[in-house]
Amino acid sequence: MPEQETIFHKIASGDAQADIVYQDDLVIAFNDANPQAPTHILLIPRNDELESLNDASKSDEGILGHLLFAAAKVANQVGIAEDGYRIVINTGAAAGQSVAYLHVHLLGGRDMTWPAG
Ligand code: AMP
């Protein structure tokens, strides 16, 4: 049992519903419930061991790489790859991480501003 079971633990285990757009043996991608762009998809590892990027160790390089690879694949699948998109991994309170389960945001479908807020 994780220290703090989040909604993403439940989505990963199949105990909660999500609007899944892509999945493979390592990751699940689903639409964000409160989208910040016309396309806003979250990608999570099926394995629930990482609360954030801060917990990652050398042995997690594979899943971290796969999350980005899968994000690019999904961007292509949903038609935002050519125009461009943004990948975000909020890490910790100051960055606004609200769910203690490692997740990648894939945002697209509009022009982005920089620096990010
Ligand atoms: P963060 O603030 O980086 O931790 O991102 C958490 C994201 O999860 C937010 O964009 C929320 O809108 C999203 N979210 C929370 N609960 C759900 C849910 N059940 N299904 C889809 N997205 C969710």
Side-chain angles (χ1 to χ4, degrees), residues 7-8 11 18-19 30-42 90 96 98-99 103 105-108 110:
I7 183 65
F8 294 176
I11 289 171
D19 187 10
F30 51 93
N31 284 313
D32 194 293
N34 182 24
Q36 302 300 312
T39 297
H40 187 172
I41 293 167
L42 300 171
N90 292 325
S98 61
V99 180
H103 53 282
H105 294 257
L106 168 63
L107 299 134
R110 65 167 168 81

